[in-house]
Amino acid sequence: MALIAPVSRTTIFTRDAERALGFYRDLLGLEVWIDNVIPNPGASDILGQHCDSMRIIILRAADTAIGNIGLAEVHGANPPLENPPPATKVRFGESCLVIRTDHLKALLPKLEAAGVHIISPPTKLVLPVPEDVWEMFLRDPDGTMINLSHHGAW
C-alpha cells in the first residue's frame, strides 16, 4: 500500500517568473490557478535559508488538484541561490516533466518560433500500447527538461 497520494505538483525554481509564464501559460496554454507572494518568516522557513519573500505561481491544465506545475521565484536570497547555466544535453539524475498533449503538431512551430531549446524533434516510439505515441524533449527558460507526449494519430 502506498503511503503517499498521487503527485499534486512539481515546482520549478525560476530565475524569472514572467519569462517562465511566457512559456507555460502563453506557449503551452496552462491556466494560472494561484499567484501569491509568501512573506517572511514563511518564505525563509520553507526555503531553508534567508530570503525576503517567494512568489509562488501554480498552473494547471484542468480543474484538478493533481498534476499541476508550480513556479517559485525567490526574492532577496542570502546567500544567493546557485545559478548554474542550463544544460543542453540530458544528464544523470535529472528530472523530466512529462506533459501529455493532443496538439504536439500545432505546438511545434510555436516552440520553434519562440526560440525554445529543442533537444529532440517529435519522434514516433514503438511501445506496447494500442495507439501511436510521439514524444519530443525540450527545455523551459530555466533549463528544466520537458517531455511533450502525444498519443494517437499524428
Side-chain angles (χ1 to χ4, degrees), residues 77-100:
N78 187 13
L81 298 181
E82 293 181 17
N83 194 8
T88 56
K89 298 180 181 182
V90 178
R91 300 174 299 193
F92 286 115
E94 180 172 23
S95 297
C96 178
L97 187 59
V98 180
I99 302 173
R100 197 147 169 186

Side-chain angles (χ1 to χ4, degrees), residues 112-153:
E112 291 170 333
V116 171
H117 175 81
I118 295 174
I119 296 170
S120 64
T123 303
K124 185 177 179 181
L125 304 179
V126 178
L127 298 172
V129 296
E131 70 271 6
D132 289 346
V133 177
W134 292 81
E135 294 194 355
M136 71 179 293
F137 286 87
L138 52 101
R139 297 219 180 258
D140 81 353
D142 287 290
T144 301
M145 187 166 39
I146 308 292
N147 173 329
L148 294 179
S149 180
H150 175 97
H151 292 231

Side-chain angles (χ1 to χ4, degrees), residues 12-85:
I12 299 161
F13 283 83
T14 180
R15 296 167 181 88
D16 182 341
E18 292 305 318
R19 186 171 175 215
L21 280 169
F23 178 80
Y24 289 101
R25 180 193 59 206
D26 302 340
L27 274 175
L28 298 185
L30 296 175
E31 161 195 7
V32 174
W33 182 29
I34 296 171
D35 188 344
N36 190 51
V37 174
I38 300 172
N40 266 325
S44 293
D45 290 347
I46 198 164
L47 189 61
Q49 76 174 64
H50 178 76
C51 67
D52 296 334
S53 63
M54 184 168 29
R55 181 180 178 191
I56 299 292
I57 303 163
I58 301 176
L59 302 129
R60 62 185 181 177
D63 188 14
T64 178
I66 63 168
N68 297 316
I69 297 173
L71 302 173
E73 182 183 64
V74 178
H75 304 137
N78 187 13
L81 298 181
E82 293 181 17
N83 194 8

